[in-house]
Amino acid sequence: MKLPIYLDYAATTPISPKSAKAICDTLSDPALLGNPSSSTHMYGWKAQEAVHAARARVASLFNAKARDVIFTSGATEANNLAIRGVCQGLSSPHIITSSVEHKAVLETCQHMARNGAELTILEPDENGIVTPESVASAIKGNTVLVSLMHVNNEVGSFNDIDAIGELISGINPNIVFHVDAAQSAGKVDIDIKSLAKIDIITFSAHKFYGPKGIGGLILSRFARKKVSSISFGGVQENSLRPGTLATHQIVGMGEAAAECKEKMSLDREHVLLLRQTLFNTLNECGVAFNTNVNQNLAYPGIVNMNIFGIEPDELMLQWSQVAVSSGSACNSQTKSDSYVLQSIRNGKDKNPSSADVRISFGRYTTREDVTEAVHHLTAALSAVSC
């Protein structure tokens, strides 16, 4: 059975062979079978050494210190820890976020609002970007947290996290600035030492060629004083995330992080080439782009487009030779229009005889994959119009 062409990297990237090998080697090494928290024998020491080495490699991806990395099961848990950990126990804390955030952020903020927090949800501009000025104008005396993504998971738009952080710091440096970097970590250079202010960064390994089920946060020294644990049962990860560490997954993420740092420039050049190939071959397909085609405004590995003359379900049926998404992976099972695209369109629904499709690609995608995918799209549209 021939597998479809995989163009859904924003949902999850393929795991790199080096990361997969590191995981298998860790699982099969008898010396690493111990619990990393066991400090009374060699098995625990060896596992702990492997975790420490991987922690340093993950930190290096962000030019952070290893001690600032806290491991979680992924970005969803990390986002929950960041938002709930900052706000819990405070009286009427004010949170600022946006309407185009991932549900792991939006729903967590809404949960806090149901439990006494004040919540401001900003609207993006027509490119899906939250402007620094809109953030600054929303800050109040009781604002404790600003939570925004770096790269949007549906349209790829960049938020200027450096400018936003600088404005926050200038207005009130006691506000925690949380950046959801799930779609940018490992793909875009994030040097936290050169940025004006980022207090918390959250990420998932499976978005940058590592394994599923592992991710984490990077906390500034300031944020360490602001975040409280939301789960209990141990002292692991400075008591912020108790539970036995998954040595093999952490090692796999460390390997993926090191590889991404080494290949970041080449990976970016590759996705730029793939995006241009996509644009060049889409001329006759009758599409409009939800993603801004200016590479400075959007990450080139994510292209969201609106295809005329076909409904989403029909497109997915006719275009089955290609694995793409009609929304984010977390929302693809729902039939309603994407809330992200509705926000960008100022609440207006799309034409019912059109389909919104997210194409996302990366390191292992070839130009032939892209041109063949468009060939299948052309055939699908012709089949529907016959």
Side-chain angles (χ1 to χ4, degrees):
M1 178 181 177
K2 184 179 179 181
L3 290 172
I5 299 167
Y6 188 73
L7 297 179
D8 201 15
Y9 275 58
T12 189
T13 56
I15 189 168
S16 82
K18 286 186 177 181
S19 178
K21 183 178 185 302
I23 292 168
C24 292
D25 289 348
T26 302
L27 287 171
S28 60
D29 187 345
L32 296 175
L33 66 84
N35 188 322
S37 297
S38 297
S39 59
T40 58
H41 51 70
M42 183 177 292
Y43 295 103
W45 301 336
K46 288 292 185 182
Q48 189 178 86
E49 287 175 6
V51 168
H52 283 340
R55 195 187 301 273
R57 300 179 95 180
V58 172
S60 180
L61 185 61
F62 303 92
N63 195 20
K65 295 179 179 178
R67 69 188 184 200
D68 295 333
V69 177
I70 300 294
F71 293 126
T72 67
S73 62
T76 294
E77 183 188 355
N79 288 335
N80 271 264
L81 177 54
I83 296 165
R84 294 167 60 194
V86 168
C87 296
Q88 68 178 353
L90 301 179
S91 177
S92 301
H94 178 227
I95 306 168
I96 299 172
T97 189
S98 87
S99 62
V100 293
E101 299 304 306
H102 191 280
K103 284 192 173 182
V105 167
L106 266 177
E107 292 187 358
T108 306
C109 289
Q110 290 162 349
H111 167 78
M112 298 310 297
R114 289 191 294 270
N115 287 273
E118 182 182 354
L119 177 61
T120 297
I121 300 178
L122 302 174
E123 294 296 329
D125 66 15
E126 67 277 7
N127 295 310
I129 295 170
V130 180
T131 65
E133 294 75 21
S134 68
V135 175
S137 65
I139 291 176
K140 302 180 179 182
N142 63 330
T143 303
V144 298
L145 175 70
V146 175
S147 180
L148 297 170
M149 57 177 36
H150 188 193
V151 169
N152 186 271
N153 57 302
E154 290 199 33
V155 297
S157 53
F158 280 114
N159 283 325
D160 190 342
I161 55 174
D162 190 29
I164 292 170
E166 186 173 10
L167 278 175
I168 293 171
S169 183
I171 295 171
N172 182 354
N174 288 317
I175 295 171
V176 175
F177 183 28
H178 162 230
V179 174
D180 176 0
Q183 291 294 342
S184 59
K187 304 169 190 173
V188 178
D189 185 31
I190 305 173
D191 183 343
I192 62 170
K193 291 182 180 178
S194 68
L195 295 171
K197 174 185 172 70
I198 293 182
D199 299 306
I200 307 175
I201 291 179
T202 49
F203 52 88
S204 261
H206 76 99
K207 303 291 189 180
F208 57 87
Y209 309 101
K212 299 174 183 67
I214 188 70
L217 311 83
I218 292 178
L219 300 175
S220 69
R221 184 174 298 182
F222 165 72
R224 289 262 178 171
K225 301 174 183 178
K226 298 287 186 177
V227 178
S228 302
S229 179
I230 60 173
S231 56
F232 303 92
V235 296
Q236 294 89 348
E237 302 303 278
N238 291 326
S239 297
L240 286 176
R241 204 278 186 172
T244 301
L245 294 174
T247 308
H248 60 295
Q249 289 178 300
I250 291 170
V251 169
M253 178 165 63
E255 186 69 42
E259 195 172 4
C260 280
K261 184 173 182 180
E262 177 187 349
K263 296 183 176 182
M264 190 173 295
S265 179
L266 289 175
D267 283 347
R268 182 171 176 81
E269 290 177 10
H270 183 59
V271 294
L272 280 168
L273 176 63
L274 294 174
R275 186 172 75 163
Q276 191 57 53
T277 301
L278 179 67
F279 289 163
N280 292 343
T281 52
L282 277 174
N283 292 333
E284 300 177 2
C285 291
V287 304
F289 292 103
N290 299 315
T291 295
N292 192 296
V293 297
N294 183 334
Q295 70 180 51
N296 295 319
L297 297 179
Y299 169 65
I302 298 176
V303 177
N304 196 302
M305 58 190 187
N306 184 258
I307 302 174
F308 303 115
I310 188 168
E311 296 180 359
D313 289 346
E314 183 68 15
L315 176 62
M316 292 299 106
L317 180 64
Q318 295 291 338
W319 204 21
S320 59
Q321 309 93 334
V322 183
V324 295
S325 175
S326 57
S328 71
C330 299
N331 300 309
S332 61
Q333 297 180 21
T334 65
K335 298 296 182 182
S336 59
D337 291 345
S338 159
Y339 69 89
V340 171
L341 294 178
Q342 280 189 330
S343 292
I344 294 172
R345 293 168 176 152
N346 294 317
K348 297 177 182 178
D349 289 330
K350 67 177 179 62
N351 187 321
S353 296
S354 68
D356 290 315
V357 176
R358 182 188 68 186
I359 292 177
S360 50
F361 34 66
R363 184 182 298 162
Y364 305 115
T365 312
T366 66
R367 293 181 70 184
E368 290 73 23
D369 289 336
V370 173
T371 54
E372 186 178 350
V374 176
H375 171 76
H376 287 307
L377 173 60
T378 303
L381 294 174
S382 298
V384 171
S385 61
C386 291

